[in-house]
Amino acid sequence: VSGNWPAGNIYVVTGDIVIPEGETLTIAEGVMVRFNSGTGMVCNGSLVANGTDEAPVYFTSSNPTPSSGDWTGIELYGENNVISYLDYEFATDGFSGDGTSGSTFDNLTMLGTLSLTANGIYLTNSSNMTFTNNHISVAGEYGISSDDSPNSIVNNNEINGGYSEAALRLLYCDNCEFDGNIITNRPRRGI
């Protein structure tokens, strides 16, 4: 799948979505993406979710009575993803992946509806990342984790959870900026 999903539409995902390498799926403000049980999205290309404060993009369950872990989650393997004003709920896991350099997560909201093992964002080999203004409350090991992430910005995030490891974890993060993050609920490590 690639191209544009225009504003005001609801999409029901009945099988796994794959964005091919070198292509982009752009999702406009106000779009709701409802995932059937056991489905998810693998982004070998780029994902651009362009929500707004007034009209966020929704990634949620298609189940009429949703519960934690209804759908699998989003895997990112391409660069320059843009996640802006996205409400993310009822998945088995949050965002995971590798090689997502240049990606931005801004105003992502995950508030306690994911499975009990879910991380918020868990990436590797991803430099020049931006994590700003996100609201993440999950019960897994990490709120935001990104390995090999030099030149990244981690500002003004609210991370809430009794994580077994850390609220914010960025390894090999030369020239990184951390400012204004709020960490609550006593994780084992804050940053």
Side-chain angles (χ1 to χ4, degrees):
V1 174
S2 62
N4 296 306
W5 288 2
N9 288 304
I10 297 173
Y11 294 87
V12 178
V13 178
T14 59
D16 288 337
I17 292 176
V18 177
I19 301 172
E21 187 175 343
E23 297 190 29
T24 300
L25 174 61
T26 301
I27 302 174
E29 71 277 357
V31 169
M32 180 174 282
V33 183
R34 300 175 63 86
F35 290 85
N36 280 359
S37 179
T39 64
M41 184 183 296
V42 176
C43 307
N44 296 317
S46 296
L47 174 63
V48 177
N50 275 329
T52 65
D53 190 25
E54 298 80 26
V57 172
Y58 286 91
F59 284 1
T60 190
S61 169
S62 66
N63 190 329
T65 309
S67 62
S68 299
D70 278 352
W71 60 285
T72 60
I74 307 296
E75 298 176 40
L76 302 173
Y77 300 105
E79 296 183 348
N80 302 312
N81 301 281
V82 177
I83 309 303
S84 182
Y85 289 96
L86 171 71
D87 287 359
Y88 189 103
E89 54 190 17
F90 301 111
T92 301
D93 205 358
F95 284 88
S96 62
D98 182 74
T100 63
S101 294
S103 295
T104 298
F105 290 83
D106 182 60
N107 283 286
L108 166 66
T109 300
M110 294 177 171
L111 296 179
T113 62
L114 278 63
S115 76
L116 293 176
T117 59
N119 293 306
I121 301 168
Y122 190 91
L123 306 170
T124 55
N125 301 308
S126 300
S127 62
N128 301 297
M129 301 293 292
T130 301
F131 303 100
T132 53
N133 307 305
N134 299 298
H135 306 276
I136 298 174
S137 179
V138 293
E141 292 183 333
Y142 303 103
I144 298 173
S145 177
S146 188
D147 293 348
D148 300 315
S149 298
N151 307 308
S152 294
I153 297 170
V154 186
N155 291 344
N156 303 313
N157 299 287
E158 293 182 14
I159 310 293
N160 176 11
Y163 311 102
S164 61
E165 290 301 322
L168 297 172
R169 174 182 177 263
L170 279 81
L171 294 180
Y172 307 107
C173 198
D174 295 337
N175 300 313
C176 286
E177 176 184 320
F178 293 83
D179 187 44
N181 297 291
I182 298 172
I183 298 168
T184 57
N185 201 18
R186 301 181 60 151
R188 182 174 172 205
R189 296 179 183 97
I191 299 176

